[in-house]
């Protein structure tokens, strides 16, 4: 990649401050609205509908996201039912949550490189909240819902799962580092550091959770939250993370390494939600995360980079509230063929999307692409990512 263009890409994403909490809520509300509105769009192919709604909600700005959320609320009220029951040990409303979250994720990681992507949705530099900030945490929460539950209930099977998920993630993390450095690909050190990336974080979380998975999850989540609060504040973590000095290997990857306990807290809360035996227990988790977030936000704004308690609780609140809404929609609309395929192949789709994101950025100067062309590229990219990823057997 041309050095001047790479610097222009990096400069464009620097200093983003995100948007208000209500703007993030509108963007993430598409997870619920897309499913609720599906009752009125039965003639539209499933893949076209869900990918189209994601592109419209994120790329269309607040007014489009607001219209979709309003429509989704109306449709949801018309179909409101008591919370669905578990089917064969599974919570049916997890399927659309994981599937549409994945569509939001793969859309955003490429769309952010085009000038049409709203700045309020870009990852924040230090403090604030945005769609991409919450998306990172929500991905970890979703990972915890699936992997954490397996670790606590069947450690032997979970250990085998590491061979098909954790090891490939770590290998892909190494491959990403090599490719970024070799191809002079644009990167932002304040995200995870010089060598660390999100693949390493995802790969490490099940390993870190394994020895604590049999402990009371409420206590584990509380201790991790308390530790991150102490680390960021009294122990000087914020000063350490924000200073420019990067001498040792730990210094060079401090964002990735020292955010791990925070992401482990999100992972644990995801497992805690999945382990809740009753609807009342799940609603209690929603209430607690909302209450604790409200208290924490008074003293400190959320920070994805620091993974502070306010960020952890904001992610958990949005995820649990979204799941609460989905749990009251008809089961038949939650486990459709398209949503089931995307949910069960989410890891493979994510990996394919990351590869295609690199291919697109190396084959064109995305900053100079027209709005119409960018939407066409994004539509094709999402279609290929889902189609190819859904045919790969690597599952989360």
């Amino acid at each position: 990649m041309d050095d001047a263009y790479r610097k222009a890409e990096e400069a464009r994403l620097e200093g983003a401050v995100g948007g208000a909490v209500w703007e993030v809520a509108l963007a993430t509300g598409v997870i619920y609205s897309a499913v609720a509105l599906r009752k009125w769009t039965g003639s539209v192919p499933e893949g076209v509908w869900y990918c189209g709604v994601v592109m419209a909600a994120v790329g269309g700005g607040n007014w489009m996201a607001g219209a979709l959320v309003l429509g989704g609320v109306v449709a949801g009220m018309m179909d409101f039912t008591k919370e669905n029951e578990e089917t064969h040990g599974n919570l049916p409303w997890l399927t659309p949550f994981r599937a549409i979250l994945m569509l939001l994720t793969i859309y955003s990681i490429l769309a952010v490189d085009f000038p049409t992507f709203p700045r309020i949705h870009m990852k924040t530099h230090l403090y604030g909240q945005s769609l991409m900030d919450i998306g990172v945490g929500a991905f970890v929460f979703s990972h915890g819902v699936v992997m954490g539950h397996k670790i606590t209930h069947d450690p032997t099977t979970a250990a085998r799962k590491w061979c098909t998920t954790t090891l490939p993630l770590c290998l892909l993390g190494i491959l990403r580092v090599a490719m970024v450095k070799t191809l002079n690909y644009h990167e932002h050190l304040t995200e995870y550091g010089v060598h660390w990336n999100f693949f390493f974080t995802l790969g490490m979380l099940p390993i870190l959770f394994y020895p604590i998975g049999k402990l009371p999850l409420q206590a584990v989540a509380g201790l991790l939250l308390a530790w991150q609060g102490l680390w960021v504040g009294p122990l000087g973590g914020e000063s350490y993370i924000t200073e420019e000095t990067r001498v040792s290997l730990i210094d060079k990857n401090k964002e990735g390494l020292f955010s791990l306990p925070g992401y482990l807290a999100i992972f644990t809360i995801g497992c805690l939600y999945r382990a809740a035996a009753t609807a009342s227990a799940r609603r209690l988790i929603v209430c607690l995360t909302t209450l604790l977030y409200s208290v924490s936000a008074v003293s400190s704004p959320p920070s994805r980079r620091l993974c502070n308690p306010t960020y952890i609780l904001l992610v958990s609140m949005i995820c649990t509230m979204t799941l609460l809404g989905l749990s009251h929609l008809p089961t038949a609309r939650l486990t459709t063929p398209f949503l089931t395929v995307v949910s069960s192949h989410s890891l493979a789709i994510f990996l394919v999307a990351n590869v295609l994101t690199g291919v697109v950025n190396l084959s064109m100067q995305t900053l100079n692409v027209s709005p119409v062309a960018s939407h066409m590229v994004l539509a094709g990219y999402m279609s290929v990512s889902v189609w190819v990823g859904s045919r790969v057997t690597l599952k989360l």
Side-chain angles (χ1 to χ4, degrees):
M1 181 179 287
D2 176 72
D3 197 51
Y5 180 76
R6 177 183 60 81
K7 291 179 179 178
E9 281 268 22
E10 293 174 353
R12 174 175 170 270
L13 301 178
E14 284 292 333
V17 296
V21 173
W22 66 267
E23 291 176 305
V24 176
L26 285 182
T28 55
V30 69
I31 298 175
Y32 172 83
S33 299
V35 180
L37 289 169
R38 182 60 182 159
K39 62 178 291 184
W40 293 327
T41 59
S43 60
V44 180
E46 265 199 289
V48 174
W49 166 250
Y50 286 113
C51 291
V53 169
V54 165
M55 294 180 66
V58 179
N62 288 335
W63 71 270
M64 178 61 78
L68 287 167
V69 168
L70 179 60
V73 170
V74 172
M77 290 175 65
M78 295 173 65
D79 277 341
F80 188 85
T81 63
K82 70 174 185 178
E83 184 171 297
N84 290 286
E85 301 295 331
E86 290 191 32
T87 55
H88 305 294
N90 296 316
L91 303 179
W93 55 92
L94 291 177
T95 297
F97 175 78
R98 297 182 66 223
I100 303 173
L101 173 62
M102 178 52 56
L103 296 179
L104 277 169
T105 300
I106 65 173
Y107 173 76
S108 297
I109 61 175
L110 178 58
V112 69
D113 296 321
F114 290 94
T116 53
F117 191 78
R119 189 168 176 79
I120 61 170
H121 294 327
M122 296 178 181
K123 287 180 180 176
T124 54
H125 180 67
L126 181 58
Y127 283 109
Q129 59 272 317
S130 70
L131 173 64
M132 293 193 75
D133 287 332
I134 300 304
V136 171
F139 204 101
V140 171
F141 182 94
S142 174
H143 199 34
V145 168
V146 179
M147 282 297 293
H149 179 69
K150 292 175 180 176
I151 291 171
T152 56
H153 284 75
D154 190 352
T156 303
T157 301
R160 287 199 298 267
K161 267 284 184 181
W162 292 346
C163 297
T164 57
T165 56
T166 296
L167 289 179
L169 283 170
C170 291
L171 290 173
L172 283 161
I174 295 170
L175 180 62
R176 177 178 170 79
V177 173
M179 295 296 288
V180 165
K181 304 301 181 184
T182 302
L183 299 175
N184 199 31
Y185 194 75
H186 61 81
E187 60 179 332
H188 304 279
L189 299 184
T190 57
E191 281 194 41
Y192 299 103
V194 177
H195 310 105
W196 199 269
N197 56 59
F198 191 52
F199 288 118
F200 290 133
T201 297
L202 280 180
M204 287 298 298
L205 289 175
I207 297 175
L208 294 173
F209 183 78
Y210 185 82
I212 60 176
K214 287 296 183 180
L215 300 175
L217 296 181
Q218 300 92 328
V220 171
L223 288 172
L224 289 168
L225 275 169
W227 165 252
Q228 281 304 96
L230 284 171
W231 157 248
V232 171
L235 296 180
E238 179 180 358
S239 300
Y240 172 65
I241 295 296
T242 54
E243 67 183 16
E244 296 297 325
T245 305
R246 295 180 186 270
V247 180
S248 67
L249 186 63
I250 292 177
D251 290 340
K252 291 178 180 179
N253 298 285
K254 54 189 176 182
E255 288 88 352
L257 291 171
F258 290 99
S259 64
L260 275 174
Y263 285 119
L264 184 59
I266 297 174
F267 186 95
T268 303
I269 295 171
C271 182
L272 184 62
Y273 176 89
R274 179 63 185 84
T278 64
S280 297
R282 287 187 284 270
R283 285 195 289 270
L284 179 60
I285 294 172
V286 177
C287 293
L288 282 175
T289 54
T290 303
L291 176 62
L292 291 172
Y293 164 72
S294 302
V295 173
S296 181
V298 173
S299 59
S300 174
S303 172
R304 173 197 48 80
R305 186 176 172 188
L306 301 173
C307 208
N308 64 356
T310 309
Y311 171 75
I312 295 167
L313 291 164
L314 177 60
V315 169
S316 302
M317 179 185 72
I318 289 176
C319 289
T320 53
M321 289 183 72
T322 302
L323 287 166
L324 177 63
L326 289 169
S327 70
H328 290 282
L329 293 176
T331 304
R333 207 175 303 147
L334 300 174
T335 55
T336 61
F338 177 79
L339 293 176
T340 301
V341 166
V342 175
S343 175
S344 60
H345 292 81
S346 58
L347 181 57
I349 292 171
F350 180 63
L351 299 183
V352 172
N354 271 271
V355 172
L356 291 180
T357 296
V359 171
V360 170
N361 273 283
L362 292 173
S363 61
M364 66 173 67
Q365 293 189 338
T366 53
L367 291 181
N368 302 322
V369 175
S370 69
V372 173
S374 66
H375 291 314
M376 292 176 64
V377 170
L378 286 166
Y381 148 84
M382 290 190 71
S383 300
V384 174
S385 296
V386 173
W387 189 85
V388 174
S390 63
R391 282 156 178 76
V392 177
T393 56
L394 180 63
K395 297 183 180 181
L396 189 63

